[in-house]
Amino acid sequence: EVVPALKFQELTGHHIETPGPRGLYAAIFVLAMNEAKYAAMPDDLRAILDANSGLAMAKAAGALWDVEGAANRAMVLERGNSIVEFSAADMSAIRTATRPVVDEWISDRGEEGPRLYEAANRFLAEFDAGQ
């Protein structure tokens, strides 16, 4: 989605796609609301908000990103740019090379580090499986 906004299709002639549900990263978006303000809303408005948030909102946003991704892919190819897809071996090599960064992140969080890292990966695996 950032390709046209940052003009990547003009600034570079080469692009990379990463295979798998997460590629090289996972991004988390949060829509938050003050709990007291939510509780003070009339029931009918809370029902509308509830029906259009959570998993329903996440799926709608994901569908939009899928559409944008396909349009941006077509746009860069129409410009004659190349797209290289990393192989599973490439991804494994990148994950191996960057493991020290992950280990440092875990270590910087003390005793909670391993638990946080494992919990995040469990959550992402559950989400990937639920799609």
Side-chain angles (χ1 to χ4, degrees):
E1 72 279 1
V2 301
V3 171
L6 299 178
K7 299 186 179 186
F8 285 150
Q9 76 280 10
E10 297 173 19
L11 296 172
T12 183
H14 308 283
H15 308 267
I16 297 170
E17 288 184 342
T18 54
R22 284 193 283 174
L24 292 174
Y25 70 95
I28 298 172
F29 297 90
V30 175
L31 176 61
M33 182 175 190
N34 178 289
E35 188 174 354
K37 293 290 185 184
Y38 175 80
M41 291 173 62
D43 290 343
D44 61 330
L45 294 180
R46 273 200 320 268
I48 291 169
L49 187 61
D50 291 347
N52 292 284
S53 62
L55 188 56
M57 185 178 179
K59 286 183 177 184
L64 290 173
W65 273 307
D66 289 344
V67 169
E68 284 299 310
N72 291 337
R73 188 177 201 287
M75 177 180 47
V76 300
L77 289 174
E78 286 173 16
R79 288 186 60 87
N81 296 359
S82 68
I83 298 176
V84 174
E85 184 170 331
F86 279 178
S87 68
D90 294 330
M91 295 297 287
S92 179
I94 290 169
R95 286 196 172 95
T96 298
T98 58
R99 185 63 204 201
V101 175
V102 173
D103 292 340
E104 182 178 344
W105 185 95
I106 293 169
S107 177
D108 286 350
R109 275 129 193 97
E111 292 179 17
E112 290 294 305
R115 188 189 64 76
L116 290 169
Y117 182 75
E118 290 167 13
N121 278 289
R122 273 194 313 276
F123 173 77
L124 290 166
E126 287 174 22
F127 181 76
D128 290 343
Q131 288 191 11

